[in-house]
Amino acid sequence: MHDVYEVVKLLKYSVQIESITAYDNYLLVGNRLGHIFLYTTSPRVQLVDCNKTFSKRPILQLTAISECQIVICLSDERVSVLDVSRDKVIHLKTTGLQKTKGASSFTINVKTPDGLQSNPSNTVVRLCVAVKRQLQVYYWKGKDFLEHSENIDLPDIPRTLVWCDQTVVIGCKNEYYLFDVTMEQVKPLFLTGKNQEPIITKISDTMFGVVKDSHFIVMSTMDDVAEQQFIKWIDTPSIILYDEPYLIASISDKLYVQTIESVESSVSRQVISVTSKTSNMFSCQNGLIYVSSTLDVCCLKAVPFAKQIKRLLEDKDFQLALKLANISDESVDDKEKNVSQIRTLYANDLFEKKKYQESMREFLKLNTDPYDVIRLFPNLLPQSDSDYGEEILEKEMEIKIVALIEYLTEVRFKLLKEPNVKNQSDILEINSNHQEQLLQIIDTTLLKCYLQTNDALIAPLLRLNHCHLLETETTLKKYKKYSELIILYQTKGLHSKALELLQKQSDDSDSNLKGPERTIQYLQNIGSNNIDIILQFSDWVLNKYPEEGLTIFTEDVAEVEHLPRPKVLDFLIRNHKNLIIPYLEHVIHVWNDTNAICHNALIHQYREKLQKYNTMSMQADEQTAQNTKTKLLEFLEQSKCYTPETVLVHFPLDGFFEERAIVLGKLGRHEQVLSMYVTVLDDVNRAIEYCDKVYKSKNEDCDQIYVILLRLLIDPPDSWLAGLGGVSKPAPNLEKVVEILNKNAAQIATPDVLKVLPDEIPINRINNFLVIALDKAISDRRLYQVNRGLLYAKLLKIQQQRIFYESQNITLTEFNICRVCKKRFGNQSAFVRCPNGEIVHYSCHNHKADQ
């Protein structure tokens, strides 16, 4: 307990006091005889005026409205308005409140727009009067109250009313009600309790409290019962007043002071003894309360907040100290400074009381430097020698660490999300460096926390981390968290260290990094900028696990696909020749690479492989050799990206005849190709297929391809293999000549072939060829004649048009005017005659055409 208020006695009467009110520095008292007294309270209590003729009945209720300089009074079951504006003398005003006969209570609502307090005309005053079982609502306009709406019926006679925002709280004998002024609806709330008068206290514009039995229930008007707090008193109060942040309740001959936060507790902040039971309490400003009993009036003055706060901090009552600091009348800067200091003390006190989560929430609200919070955990500080791993068994330490994790995670999120809006480059750099340092401390501490609570969270943290490299590396090695250490190295760009560790761990049978998988995955994802590192550390994988290792260069991921292929190919040629063909096949057939280097290289690899098989002459390799040969032939036929000239020179002269024939065909050396098929391979059918293919291509001189073949069959040349121990000159194949002539007569150039046909072939053997050739010649002649006639007719028509236009003449004199520029034609003017007959300058004609 501490002293909240000091009691100052003001007045003593001989007649019973019924009501009091106050405004500015004035106090009004109404007594049982119907007298009203007006006092000034500054610098001392002094009577200003007295009206003893106002009423013959007790003054049951008084309320002053300082903005309008009026006092509303309830006496003799009627509401009246008193004017105190003229020399502070009490005058009765004639108002429109004649309908309030039978009134039992009233309440007011005063609203003054911000910034317009000095102008009374801007103040909105509303009055609600309980008349028997009805409510009457009025509003102040000019100098009178006017009716606002129709009377509202109630289920019982109200005994007390309190206006909160757009709601009037009604207290009847047995039940509380809420009256929505806007909707003009009355809703029941709950019963008042056992044998008790209703008590209602306004806390704010949207909050109020009611008494039920010995409990004070705090409620909100927003959604009927949106939030509730129950404050327990030692007995049922007779009056309760709210003076922020305190509640003052009159119980018997004492005043009990509590706060709203004193939930389910009857412990009071202060107990004030008075001479007799309190009948009225009124506050016109925070920290100043007028209290009246039957014959006495006293004043409760709040102890200065600074003094209260000091005592509260000694008692470690930080929450109440914060409330007082927030409502104090200090300057904004001083208030913020005091609030921050109190909250810091409060946060540290919560930590000492082992309320770790609440403590961290307070530090978060304060924007405390994270390093100051981390210092509360000595074992987590950088370069700490403590073995914090042993503390993981302690439940309290785990709760403590979890609270710190929540705090650091929230701070980290804010730091990463918060944009830097500074314009000056030097300030920007300082702020950026400070933020990076904070993030480094936070992430390093989070990692240590995760080691103690949930190591599954380490990897996600490291994938986007600001950890201190050396300290984090040491910590992870200490706990043998090699997988996480790999992630750390990768995010810091230390690929060599990561790969060295992976290579070392791959041979450890007890390691979760055993084998090549993690190394392969790592190399597949670091991209072409690190090609030298990829080649360096892929070597051991390719040596031990060639098939799996090849996926380093063939996996279907963007980073692998964009690796420099010539450099990879060169690496494989120098170090892993057995993987060249599968690599090139993937690059060409899967990735559709069109680079001539890759295509040429694949052909060379096929050729070298076949030469190796031919040299070894092993029976077991015949099928493999045949498969390789098939691949080579198909690739030579289908690929359009290799360089025939380059490829051809590498094929030996004494072999690979089919391959050479395909390459020569790509170069357009048809006679060499056909000679190869006829004289070397002795495969006329392949020669005929080649001729068909060339003829269908419709290339230049394609009709000569059959003539070349026929000439080779009629007069075969000496085999160019004769000098190498090959076969002798082949014999003429006239039967094949006749067959080709009769089958392909339409595709053969007749004049050229007739020149090479030998006399040994009878006419009747080539009858079909001659008939078709003759029909073709006649058809070609007729087509020629038709085209010639059409062209001649067109020539005659054009000549006729020329003669017509040349026969026309124009006369151009100095009086002719250009239709475009409106100028005359000079002697040296170039002109143009348009199709419509107009004559214009040559330059004007161009301009006209542009338009």
Side-chain angles (χ1 to χ4, degrees), residues 484-738:
E484 290 78 3
L485 185 56
I486 297 299
I487 298 173
L488 175 69
Y489 287 147
Q490 186 172 9
T491 55
K492 298 297 185 182
L494 303 175
H495 302 304
S496 295
K497 295 189 72 171
L499 290 163
E500 286 171 0
L501 178 59
L502 283 170
Q503 184 176 357
K504 181 180 179 181
Q505 291 293 312
S506 67
D507 296 326
D508 187 347
S509 58
D510 297 328
S511 174
N512 60 346
L513 299 175
K514 180 185 177 182
E517 289 79 12
R518 281 296 299 272
T519 300
I520 293 172
Q521 183 182 7
Y522 193 101
L523 293 171
Q524 287 172 346
N525 289 281
I526 59 176
S528 58
N529 292 334
N530 299 288
I531 184 62
D532 293 333
I533 294 176
I534 294 173
L535 298 179
Q536 176 186 350
F537 287 95
S538 66
D539 192 58
W540 74 266
V541 180
L542 294 172
N543 285 328
K544 288 187 176 182
Y545 314 93
E547 291 186 9
E548 297 93 329
L550 185 60
T551 60
I552 296 171
F553 307 109
T554 60
E555 189 67 24
D556 288 332
V557 295
E559 290 81 2
V560 174
E561 192 170 348
H562 292 130
L563 292 177
R565 293 166 193 172
K567 197 164 186 175
V568 175
L569 177 59
D570 180 66
F571 168 73
L572 294 176
I573 290 172
R574 287 186 287 105
N575 301 285
H576 305 280
K577 293 185 178 182
N578 59 318
L579 299 175
I580 300 173
I581 290 178
Y583 171 71
L584 290 173
E585 287 178 341
H586 183 89
V587 168
I588 294 171
H589 300 314
V590 178
W591 288 341
N592 300 316
D593 192 297
T594 58
N595 192 328
I597 295 176
C598 295
H599 286 252
N600 293 345
L602 182 56
I603 293 171
H604 294 323
Q605 291 302 314
Y606 284 147
R607 175 183 53 76
E608 289 181 357
K609 190 173 183 181
L610 284 172
Q611 286 179 316
K612 181 179 178 182
Y613 287 139
N614 294 335
T615 302
M616 295 171 62
S617 299
M618 295 176 63
Q619 187 69 26
D621 294 330
E622 285 185 6
Q623 185 62 42
T624 305
Q626 185 59 41
N627 292 339
T628 304
K629 182 176 182 66
T630 303
K631 287 183 180 181
L632 175 58
L633 292 173
E634 290 178 354
F635 188 70
L636 288 171
E637 284 280 3
Q638 296 171 4
S639 176
K640 298 179 181 179
C641 301
Y642 66 87
T643 311
E645 298 89 343
T646 304
V647 170
L648 184 61
V649 298
H650 291 90
F651 282 109
L653 297 175
D654 59 348
F656 294 93
F657 304 119
E658 291 181 76
E659 291 81 356
R660 290 180 65 85
I662 295 173
V663 177
L664 288 169
K666 294 279 186 177
L667 293 170
R669 301 178 187 176
H670 306 310
E671 188 167 356
Q672 288 181 280
V673 174
L674 294 173
S675 178
M676 187 82 68
Y677 285 133
V678 172
T679 62
V680 179
L681 297 174
D682 193 21
D683 191 345
V684 179
N685 292 330
R686 290 283 299 274
I688 295 172
E689 291 175 4
Y690 181 79
C691 291
D692 294 340
K693 178 181 176 183
V694 173
Y695 186 83
K696 290 177 182 178
S697 67
K698 301 297 182 183
N699 292 330
E700 186 179 359
D701 298 332
C702 62
D703 58 342
Q704 295 294 317
I705 189 67
Y706 292 101
V707 177
I708 298 172
L709 176 58
L710 292 172
R711 187 171 66 246
L712 290 173
L713 291 174
I714 295 169
D715 184 19
D718 292 336
S719 174
W720 58 279
L721 289 173
L724 301 174
V727 296
S728 59
K729 178 180 178 179
N733 193 344
L734 298 182
E735 288 297 324
K736 205 65 176 177
V737 170
V738 172

Side-chain angles (χ1 to χ4, degrees), residues 344-380:
T344 302
L345 292 171
Y346 178 49
N348 282 283
D349 182 66
L350 287 171
F351 190 86
E352 291 176 3
K353 292 177 179 177
K354 301 181 180 180
K355 296 180 179 180
Y356 303 117
Q357 288 189 328
E358 294 91 332
S359 173
M360 294 301 128
R361 282 196 287 267
E362 285 299 318
F363 283 128
L364 198 60
K365 293 175 185 177
L366 283 165
N367 289 324
T368 306
D369 189 331
Y371 189 73
D372 291 336
V373 178
I374 296 170
R375 287 172 63 185
L376 297 172
F377 301 78
N379 294 332
L380 298 176

Side-chain angles (χ1 to χ4, degrees), residues 449-482:
C449 292
Y450 290 153
L451 280 169
Q452 298 189 52
T453 56
N454 187 357
D455 57 6
L457 297 174
I458 297 175
L461 172 68
L462 290 173
R463 289 191 179 95
L464 185 62
N465 78 89
H466 300 266
C467 294
H468 186 273
L469 176 60
L470 182 59
E471 188 171 355
T472 305
E473 181 183 32
T474 304
T475 303
L476 292 174
K477 283 182 177 179
K478 179 179 179 180
Y479 287 91
K480 298 183 179 179
K481 297 292 182 181
Y482 298 118

